[in-house]
Amino acid sequence: MTASVWIPAILIVIGMAGIVVPGVPGLLLVVAAVLFWAWDTGTALGWAVFAVAALMWGAGVVLRYAVPERRLRAAGVRRSTLVLAALLGVVGFFVVPVVGAALGFVLGIYLVELGHSRSKAESWASTRSAVAAVVTSMGIELATAVAIALTWVVGVLLTG
């Protein structure tokens, strides 16, 4: 196998890991890897595979924001809550290595919602809803990345 296959494969794996690990542009890296492969192969099939991958990427991005947003609105969680929780997640990332970002994010949601509702039960319910929305978003993004990767693999097999 040539570098035109191995480099996109490595980028796809890094992109999939980036969906879970903060700081790496996961889904964008996956579709960029397919673009690199299509550019390198230069065949009509390669460009068709990239076109399908780009359409999947677009659909994944739309779904990634639309589905969790609807859940958050139904639960009454504000966007400002998520922004403040994300900031606390960044602080947590540096304070507690490995799990600090997740702990800071969840704690941030809980504290902001506790300040808004003054009820521990309502705050905890909002926190659960927000965490479920984030997990759903990551799941949608990961499923999209897997679909793009499988499309790329089929393209590689058909061109090889």
Coordinates of all heavy atoms in Angstrom, one line a residue, residues 63-127:
L63 N -27.0 17.7 11.7 CA -27.7 16.8 12.8 C -27.0 17.0 14.1 O -27.6 17.0 15.2 CB -27.6 15.4 12.4 CG -28.6 15.0 11.2 CD1 -28.3 13.5 10.8 CD2 -30.0 15.2 11.7
R64 N -25.7 17.2 14.1 CA -24.9 17.3 15.4 C -25.4 18.5 16.2 O -25.4 18.5 17.4 CB -23.4 17.5 15.0 CG -22.6 17.8 16.2 CD -21.2 18.0 15.8 NE -20.4 18.6 16.9 CZ -19.4 19.4 16.8 NH1 -19.0 19.7 15.6 NH2 -18.8 19.8 17.9
Y65 N -25.9 19.6 15.5 CA -26.3 20.7 16.3 C -27.9 20.7 16.4 O -28.4 21.2 17.4 CB -25.9 22.0 15.6 CG -24.4 22.2 15.7 CD1 -23.6 22.1 14.6 CD2 -23.8 22.5 16.9 CE1 -22.2 22.3 14.7 CE2 -22.5 22.7 17.1 CZ -21.7 22.6 16.0 OH -20.3 22.7 16.1
A66 N -28.6 20.2 15.5 CA -30.0 20.3 15.5 C -30.7 19.4 16.5 O -31.6 19.8 17.3 CB -30.6 20.0 14.1
V67 N -30.2 18.1 16.6 CA -30.9 17.2 17.5 C -30.6 17.5 18.9 O -31.6 17.6 19.7 CB -30.4 15.7 17.1 CG1 -30.9 14.7 18.2 CG2 -30.8 15.3 15.7
P68 N -29.4 17.7 19.4 CA -29.2 18.1 20.8 C -29.8 19.4 21.2 O -30.3 19.6 22.3 CB -27.7 18.1 21.0 CG -27.1 17.3 19.9 CD -28.1 17.5 18.7
E69 N -29.8 20.4 20.3 CA -30.4 21.7 20.5 C -31.9 21.6 20.9 O -32.4 22.2 21.8 CB -30.2 22.6 19.3 CG -30.8 24.0 19.5 CD -30.0 24.9 20.3 OE1 -28.8 24.6 20.5 OE2 -30.6 25.9 20.9
R70 N -32.6 20.7 20.2 CA -34.0 20.5 20.4 C -34.2 19.9 21.8 O -35.1 20.3 22.6 CB -34.6 19.6 19.4 CG -36.1 19.7 19.3 CD -36.6 18.9 18.1 NE -35.6 17.9 17.6 CZ -35.9 17.0 16.8 NH1 -37.1 16.9 16.2 NH2 -35.0 16.0 16.4
R71 N -33.3 19.0 22.2 CA -33.4 18.4 23.5 C -33.2 19.4 24.6 O -33.8 19.4 25.7 CB -32.4 17.3 23.7 CG -33.0 15.9 23.5 CD -32.0 14.9 23.9 NE -32.4 13.7 23.3 CZ -31.6 12.6 23.3 NH1 -30.5 12.6 23.9 NH2 -32.1 11.5 22.7
L72 N -32.2 20.2 24.4 CA -31.8 21.2 25.4 C -32.9 22.3 25.6 O -33.2 22.7 26.7 CB -30.5 21.9 25.0 CG -29.3 21.1 25.1 CD1 -28.1 21.8 24.6 CD2 -29.0 20.7 26.6
R73 N -33.5 22.7 24.5 CA -34.7 23.6 24.6 C -35.8 23.0 25.4 O -36.4 23.6 26.2 CB -35.2 24.0 23.3 CG -34.3 25.1 22.7 CD -34.9 25.7 21.4 NE -33.9 26.2 20.6 CZ -34.0 26.4 19.3 NH1 -35.1 26.0 18.7 NH2 -33.0 26.9 18.6
A74 N -36.1 21.7 25.1 CA -37.2 21.0 25.8 C -36.9 20.9 27.3 O -37.8 21.0 28.2 CB -37.4 19.6 25.2
A75 N -35.6 20.8 27.7 CA -35.2 20.7 29.1 C -35.1 22.0 29.8 O -34.9 22.1 31.0 CB -33.9 19.9 29.2
G76 N -35.1 23.1 29.0 CA -35.0 24.5 29.5 C -33.6 24.9 29.8 O -33.3 25.8 30.6
V77 N -32.6 24.2 29.2 CA -31.2 24.6 29.4 C -30.8 25.7 28.4 O -31.0 25.6 27.2 CB -30.2 23.4 29.2 CG1 -28.8 23.8 29.4 CG2 -30.6 22.2 30.2
R78 N -30.2 26.8 29.0 CA -29.9 27.9 28.1 C -28.5 27.8 27.5 O -27.7 27.0 28.0 CB -29.9 29.2 29.0 CG -31.2 29.5 29.7 CD -30.9 30.6 30.7 NE -32.1 30.9 31.5 CZ -32.4 30.2 32.6 NH1 -31.6 29.3 33.1 NH2 -33.5 30.5 33.3
R79 N -28.3 28.5 26.4 CA -27.0 28.4 25.7 C -25.9 29.0 26.6 O -24.8 28.6 26.6 CB -27.1 29.2 24.4 CG -27.7 28.4 23.3 CD -27.5 29.1 22.0 NE -28.3 28.4 21.0 CZ -28.6 28.9 19.9 NH1 -28.2 30.0 19.5 NH2 -29.4 28.2 19.0
S80 N -26.3 30.0 27.4 CA -25.3 30.6 28.3 C -24.8 29.6 29.3 O -23.6 29.7 29.7 CB -25.9 31.9 29.0 OG -27.0 31.5 29.8
T81 N -25.7 28.7 29.7 CA -25.2 27.7 30.6 C -24.2 26.8 30.0 O -23.1 26.5 30.6 CB -26.4 26.8 31.0 OG1 -27.4 27.6 31.6 CG2 -26.0 25.6 31.9
L82 N -24.3 26.5 28.7 CA -23.3 25.6 28.1 C -22.0 26.4 27.8 O -21.0 25.8 27.9 CB -23.9 25.1 26.7 CG -25.1 24.2 26.8 CD1 -25.6 23.8 25.4 CD2 -24.7 22.9 27.6
V83 N -22.1 27.6 27.5 CA -20.9 28.4 27.3 C -20.1 28.5 28.6 O -18.9 28.3 28.7 CB -21.2 29.8 26.8 CG1 -20.0 30.7 26.8 CG2 -21.8 29.8 25.4
L84 N -20.8 28.8 29.7 CA -20.1 28.9 31.0 C -19.6 27.5 31.5 O -18.5 27.4 32.0 CB -21.0 29.5 32.1 CG -21.4 30.9 31.9 CD1 -22.5 31.3 32.9 CD2 -20.2 31.8 32.0
A85 N -20.3 26.5 31.2 CA -19.9 25.1 31.5 C -18.6 24.7 30.7 O -17.7 24.1 31.2 CB -21.0 24.1 31.3
A86 N -18.6 25.1 29.4 CA -17.5 24.9 28.6 C -16.2 25.6 29.1 O -15.1 25.0 29.1 CB -17.8 25.3 27.1
L87 N -16.4 26.8 29.6 CA -15.3 27.6 30.1 C -14.7 26.9 31.4 O -13.5 26.7 31.6 CB -15.7 29.0 30.5 CG -15.9 29.9 29.2 CD1 -16.5 31.2 29.7 CD2 -14.7 30.0 28.4
L88 N -15.6 26.4 32.2 CA -15.2 25.6 33.4 C -14.6 24.3 33.0 O -13.6 23.8 33.7 CB -16.4 25.4 34.4 CG -16.0 25.0 35.8 CD1 -15.0 25.9 36.4 CD2 -17.3 24.9 36.6
G89 N -15.0 23.7 31.9 CA -14.4 22.5 31.4 C -13.0 22.8 31.0 O -12.1 21.9 31.2
V90 N -12.7 23.9 30.3 CA -11.3 24.3 29.9 C -10.5 24.4 31.2 O -9.3 23.9 31.2 CB -11.3 25.5 29.1 CG1 -9.9 26.1 28.9 CG2 -12.0 25.3 27.8
V91 N -11.0 25.1 32.2 CA -10.2 25.2 33.4 C -10.0 23.9 34.1 O -8.9 23.6 34.5 CB -11.0 26.2 34.4 CG1 -10.3 26.1 35.8 CG2 -11.1 27.6 33.9
G92 N -11.0 23.0 34.1 CA -10.9 21.7 34.6 C -9.8 20.8 33.9 O -9.1 20.0 34.5
F93 N -9.7 21.1 32.6 CA -8.8 20.3 31.8 C -7.3 20.6 32.3 O -6.5 19.6 32.3 CB -8.9 20.8 30.3 CG -7.9 20.1 29.4 CD1 -8.1 18.8 28.9 CD2 -6.8 20.8 28.9 CE1 -7.2 18.2 28.1 CE2 -5.9 20.2 28.1 CZ -6.1 18.9 27.6
F94 N -7.1 21.8 32.7 CA -5.7 22.1 33.2 C -5.5 21.8 34.7 O -4.4 21.5 35.1 CB -5.4 23.6 33.0 CG -5.3 23.9 31.5 CD1 -6.2 24.6 30.8 CD2 -4.2 23.4 30.8 CE1 -6.1 24.8 29.5 CE2 -4.1 23.7 29.4 CZ -5.0 24.4 28.8
V95 N -6.6 21.8 35.5 CA -6.5 21.6 36.9 C -6.4 20.1 37.2 O -5.6 19.6 38.0 CB -7.7 22.2 37.6 CG1 -7.7 21.8 39.1 CG2 -7.7 23.7 37.5
V96 N -7.3 19.3 36.6 CA -7.3 17.8 36.8 C -7.0 17.1 35.5 O -7.9 17.1 34.6 CB -8.7 17.4 37.3 CG1 -8.7 15.9 37.6 CG2 -9.1 18.1 38.5
P97 N -5.8 16.6 35.3 CA -5.4 16.0 34.0 C -6.4 14.8 33.7 O -6.9 14.2 34.6 CB -4.0 15.5 34.2 CG -3.5 16.3 35.4 CD -4.7 16.6 36.2
V98 N -6.5 14.6 32.4 CA -7.3 13.5 31.8 C -8.8 13.7 31.9 O -9.5 13.8 30.9 CB -6.9 12.1 32.4 CG1 -7.7 11.0 31.7 CG2 -5.4 11.8 32.3
V99 N -9.4 13.7 33.1 CA -10.8 13.8 33.3 C -11.3 15.2 33.7 O -12.5 15.4 33.8 CB -11.3 12.8 34.3 CG1 -11.1 11.4 33.9 CG2 -10.7 13.0 35.7
G100 N -10.5 16.1 33.8 CA -10.8 17.5 34.3 C -11.8 18.2 33.4 O -12.7 18.9 33.9
A101 N -11.7 18.0 32.1 CA -12.6 18.7 31.2 C -14.0 18.3 31.4 O -14.9 19.1 31.5 CB -12.1 18.5 29.7
A102 N -14.2 17.0 31.4 CA -15.5 16.4 31.6 C -16.1 16.8 33.0 O -17.3 17.2 33.1 CB -15.5 14.9 31.5
L103 N -15.3 16.7 34.0 CA -15.7 17.1 35.4 C -16.1 18.5 35.5 O -17.1 18.9 36.0 CB -14.7 16.7 36.4 CG -14.4 15.3 36.7 CD1 -13.3 15.1 37.6 CD2 -15.7 14.6 37.3
G104 N -15.2 19.4 34.9 CA -15.5 20.8 34.9 C -16.8 21.2 34.1 O -17.5 22.0 34.6
F105 N -17.0 20.5 33.0 CA -18.2 20.8 32.2 C -19.4 20.4 33.0 O -20.4 21.2 33.1 CB -18.1 20.0 30.9 CG -19.3 20.2 30.0 CD1 -19.4 21.4 29.3 CD2 -20.3 19.3 29.9 CE1 -20.5 21.6 28.4 CE2 -21.3 19.5 29.0 CZ -21.4 20.7 28.3
V106 N -19.5 19.2 33.5 CA -20.7 18.8 34.3 C -20.9 19.7 35.5 O -22.0 20.1 35.8 CB -20.5 17.3 34.7 CG1 -21.7 16.9 35.6 CG2 -20.5 16.4 33.4
L107 N -19.8 20.0 36.2 CA -19.9 20.8 37.4 C -20.4 22.2 37.0 O -21.2 22.8 37.7 CB -18.6 20.9 38.2 CG -18.5 21.7 39.4 CD1 -19.5 21.2 40.5 CD2 -17.1 21.9 39.9
G108 N -19.9 22.7 35.9 CA -20.3 24.0 35.4 C -21.8 24.1 35.1 O -22.5 25.0 35.5
I109 N -22.3 23.1 34.4 CA -23.7 23.0 34.1 C -24.5 23.0 35.4 O -25.5 23.8 35.6 CB -24.1 21.8 33.3 CG1 -23.5 21.9 31.9 CG2 -25.6 21.6 33.2 CD1 -23.6 20.7 31.1
Y110 N -24.1 22.2 36.3 CA -24.9 22.1 37.6 C -24.9 23.4 38.4 O -25.9 23.8 38.8 CB -24.3 20.9 38.5 CG -25.0 20.8 39.8 CD1 -26.2 20.2 39.8 CD2 -24.4 21.2 41.0 CE1 -26.9 20.0 41.0 CE2 -25.1 21.1 42.2 CZ -26.4 20.5 42.2 OH -27.0 20.3 43.4
L111 N -23.7 24.0 38.5 CA -23.6 25.3 39.3 C -24.4 26.4 38.6 O -25.1 27.1 39.3 CB -22.2 25.7 39.4 CG -21.3 24.8 40.3 CD1 -19.9 25.2 40.3 CD2 -21.9 24.7 41.8
V112 N -24.4 26.5 37.3 CA -25.1 27.6 36.6 C -26.6 27.3 36.8 O -27.4 28.2 37.1 CB -24.7 27.7 35.1 CG1 -25.6 28.6 34.4 CG2 -23.3 28.1 35.0
E113 N -27.0 26.1 36.6 CA -28.4 25.8 36.7 C -28.9 25.9 38.1 O -30.1 26.3 38.4 CB -28.7 24.4 36.1 CG -28.7 24.3 34.6 CD -29.7 25.2 34.0 OE1 -30.9 25.1 34.4 OE2 -29.4 25.9 33.1
L114 N -28.1 25.6 39.1 CA -28.4 25.8 40.5 C -28.6 27.3 40.8 O -29.6 27.6 41.5 CB -27.3 25.2 41.4 CG -27.6 25.2 42.9 CD1 -28.9 24.3 43.2 CD2 -26.4 24.6 43.7
G115 N -27.8 28.1 40.2 CA -28.0 29.5 40.3 C -29.3 30.0 39.7 O -29.9 31.0 40.2
H116 N -29.7 29.4 38.6 CA -30.9 29.8 37.9 C -32.2 29.3 38.6 O -33.2 30.0 38.8 CB -30.9 29.3 36.5 CG -30.0 30.0 35.6 ND1 -30.2 30.2 34.3 CD2 -28.8 30.7 35.9 CE1 -29.2 30.9 33.7 NE2 -28.4 31.2 34.7
S117 N -32.2 28.0 39.1 CA -33.4 27.4 39.6 C -33.5 27.4 41.1 O -34.6 27.3 41.6 CB -33.5 26.0 39.0 OG -32.5 25.2 39.6
R118 N -32.4 27.4 41.8 CA -32.4 27.3 43.2 C -32.9 26.0 43.8 O -33.2 25.9 44.9 CB -33.2 28.5 43.9 CG -32.8 29.8 43.5 CD -31.5 30.3 44.2 NE -31.3 31.7 43.9 CZ -30.1 32.1 43.8 NH1 -29.0 31.4 43.9 NH2 -29.9 33.4 43.5
S119 N -33.1 25.0 42.9 CA -33.6 23.7 43.3 C -32.5 22.7 42.8 O -32.2 22.6 41.7 CB -34.9 23.4 42.7 OG -35.2 22.1 42.8
K120 N -32.1 21.9 43.8 CA -31.1 20.9 43.4 C -31.6 19.8 42.4 O -30.9 19.4 41.5 CB -30.5 20.2 44.7 CG -29.7 21.1 45.5 CD -29.2 20.3 46.7 CE -28.4 21.3 47.6 NZ -27.8 20.6 48.8
A121 N -32.9 19.5 42.6 CA -33.5 18.5 41.7 C -33.6 19.0 40.3 O -33.3 18.3 39.3 CB -34.9 18.1 42.2
E122 N -34.0 20.3 40.1 CA -34.2 20.8 38.8 C -32.8 21.0 38.2 O -32.6 20.8 37.0 CB -34.9 22.2 38.9 CG -36.3 22.1 39.1 CD -37.0 23.5 39.2 OE1 -36.4 24.4 38.5 OE2 -38.0 23.7 39.9
S123 N -31.8 21.4 39.0 CA -30.4 21.6 38.5 C -29.9 20.3 38.0 O -29.2 20.2 37.0 CB -29.5 22.2 39.6 OG -30.0 23.4 40.0
W124 N -30.1 19.3 38.8 CA -29.6 17.9 38.4 C -30.3 17.4 37.1 O -29.6 16.8 36.3 CB -29.7 17.0 39.5 CG -29.1 15.6 39.2 CD1 -29.7 14.4 39.2 CD2 -27.7 15.4 38.9 NE1 -28.9 13.5 38.8 CE2 -27.6 14.0 38.6 CE3 -26.6 16.2 38.8 CZ2 -26.4 13.4 38.3 CZ3 -25.4 15.5 38.4 CH2 -25.3 14.2 38.2
A125 N -31.5 17.7 37.0 CA -32.3 17.3 35.8 C -31.7 18.0 34.6 O -31.6 17.4 33.5 CB -33.8 17.5 36.0
S126 N -31.5 19.3 34.7 CA -30.9 20.1 33.6 C -29.5 19.6 33.3 O -29.1 19.5 32.1 CB -30.9 21.5 34.0 OG -32.2 22.1 34.1
T127 N -28.7 19.2 34.3 CA -27.4 18.7 34.0 C -27.4 17.4 33.3 O -26.7 17.2 32.3 CB -26.7 18.6 35.4 OG1 -26.6 19.8 36.1 CG2 -25.2 18.1 35.2

